[in-house]
Amino acid sequence: MAAPSTDINDQAPNRRRLPNERPALEEAATTIVSEAEEMGYPQASCFALRLAIEEAMSNAFRHGHRDLEPDADIELAWDVSPDRITIVVEDQGPGFDPETLPDPTAIENIEKPSGRGLLLIRAYMSSIDFNASGNRVTMVYLHPDKSGD
Amino acid sequence: MPSAESRLRITDESGVTQVGFIDRNILDEANIQQIGEELAEIIDADDSPKLCISFANVDHLSSAALGTLITISNKIKAKNGQLRLAQIDPQIYEVFVITKLNKLFEIHDTTEDAIKSFG
């Protein structure tokens, strides 16, 4: 069984604690996307990254922190390299089992207003993994020219 | 009326309410909530609402924004109204395809086409 690193810094050395305040979230997402742009990732990659970061942070606060104080913060960590980008979002909630989520594209769910964030993250990222307790998601995006496709 | 500054551009022409977004990025949950409330007011004020929502100049859209669109669509259906979406950037259209919401919404390339399609 794969043993993902237990230390957030091993995979993504840049780290920031973020409150649920739009300017801070916006600035953090923009920082990562700007680093990707500077590293030569194409615009489509930047679109994908922006969406995945926003959805992961939103899930952390909306679902992970549902029963916590509004001022509880999340941790965002990232590493941008020429061939891959790793982004880790960890909340302070109890976690969840991603396998139990209903398919939002199923006919019985298509008119429900929520439940699409993880679907979009999976669609746009090369891989995503949750820690055992389900309160930390690690998203990896491979450079489209270097991913071997 | 909402106390905050409107997030929408709204025009009414030939019985169709045309809606555009002020923001290029529809990501901020507070803004998305406000957009939902503003659209709900429009729908509530009409017996059989006809709404055309344009995504011209919209660069990013979150799943929360999609959720608001679904809520709006359900409200319009409940009043036997009609909803059209138009001018969706190809990258954002892909989000609709991934979520299969391109099957739920009637989407047109241009606002003109969308307006012509109202019955």
Side-chain angles (χ1 to χ4, degrees), chain B residues 15-111:
Chain B
V16 175
T17 305
Q18 296 180 45
V19 178
F21 296 98
I22 301 286
D23 304 298
R24 297 187 77 90
N25 295 335
I26 308 177
L27 300 167
D28 179 356
E29 300 219 3
N31 283 353
I32 291 167
Q33 187 179 345
Q34 186 187 333
I35 286 167
E37 288 167 2
E38 288 191 55
L39 289 173
E41 275 188 32
I42 293 168
I43 295 162
D44 289 343
D46 201 322
D47 289 337
S48 182
K50 292 180 179 176
L51 229 69
C52 175
I53 302 179
S54 166
F55 290 79
N57 304 317
V58 173
D59 293 333
H60 292 279
L61 189 75
S62 70
S63 65
L66 294 176
T68 292
L69 287 175
I70 291 167
T71 301
I72 291 305
S73 172
N74 291 340
K75 277 180 184 288
I76 290 175
K77 277 182 196 165
K79 295 191 82 170
N80 291 318
Q82 298 174 63
L83 173 66
R84 305 287 187 265
L85 309 185
Q87 291 184 283
I88 300 179
D89 170 89
Q91 280 187 323
I92 293 181
Y93 185 74
E94 193 183 353
V95 173
F96 281 82
V97 172
I98 291 166
T99 54
K100 296 190 180 173
L101 293 177
N102 59 321
K103 312 273 188 201
L104 185 71
F105 294 112
E106 186 171 328
I107 299 173
H108 293 267
D109 287 343
T110 67
T111 304

Side-chain angles (χ1 to χ4, degrees), chain A residues 23-86:
Chain A
L25 303 178
E26 179 102 23
E27 201 272 332
T30 301
T31 296
I32 299 173
V33 172
S34 297
E35 285 185 22
E37 277 178 335
E38 286 166 15
M39 199 70 80
Y41 284 80
Q43 195 274 337
S45 299
C46 295
F47 178 88
L49 289 163
R50 181 69 190 251
L51 188 61
I53 296 165
E54 292 282 354
E55 295 294 342
M57 294 193 302
S58 175
N59 279 347
F61 285 115
R62 285 175 84 188
H63 303 297
H65 285 190
R66 179 183 293 134
D67 298 324
L68 301 187
E69 293 297 321
D71 62 351
D73 55 16
I74 62 169
E75 185 165 72
L76 175 70
W78 70 95
D79 181 53
V80 177
S81 70
D83 62 341
R84 69 170 55 206
I85 294 170
T86 304

